[in-house]
Amino acid sequence: MARLKNWSFKSLSNFLEAYGFKYGHVDGSHYFYNGKIEGKERVVQVIYSNKEKDSQSDKTMKLAVRHSGIPKEYFEEWKNKGKIHQEIIY
């Protein structure tokens, strides 16, 4: 499957919040969101810097997928259609 492209800081933050993640803390330009997906506690970082505020790097997006526990397809569905898979939020 292709890379996740053009995810701004705001888009990724909104996506995580839609899946029940809450802002936890900030460490410099790294914002950390805490959530629970499929019963497992998760922490995901989103980077807000001059370089990444408008478009998160491929590495940041790969880490977001892995650390969130949310399938990559769900990221794409949310961005394209606004669809949220409630069944994984518990």
Side-chain angles (χ1 to χ4, degrees), residues 53-88:
K53 72 179 178 184
D54 295 325
S55 182
Q56 299 288 294
S57 72
D58 188 43
K59 181 179 177 182
T60 300
M61 291 307 298
K62 284 180 181 177
L63 288 172
V65 171
R66 185 172 53 183
H67 292 167
S68 70
I70 301 170
K72 188 175 184 178
E73 299 80 31
Y74 294 5
F75 279 76
E76 294 168 343
E77 288 178 8
W78 181 85
K79 188 154 189 190
N80 294 329
K81 302 174 194 165
K83 182 174 181 179
I84 300 170
H85 292 266
Q86 295 289 336
E87 68 276 7
I88 66 169

Side-chain angles (χ1 to χ4, degrees), residues 20-31:
F21 283 76
K22 304 287 185 211
Y23 167 76
H25 70 282
V26 65
D27 185 9
S29 61
H30 297 246
Y31 287 68

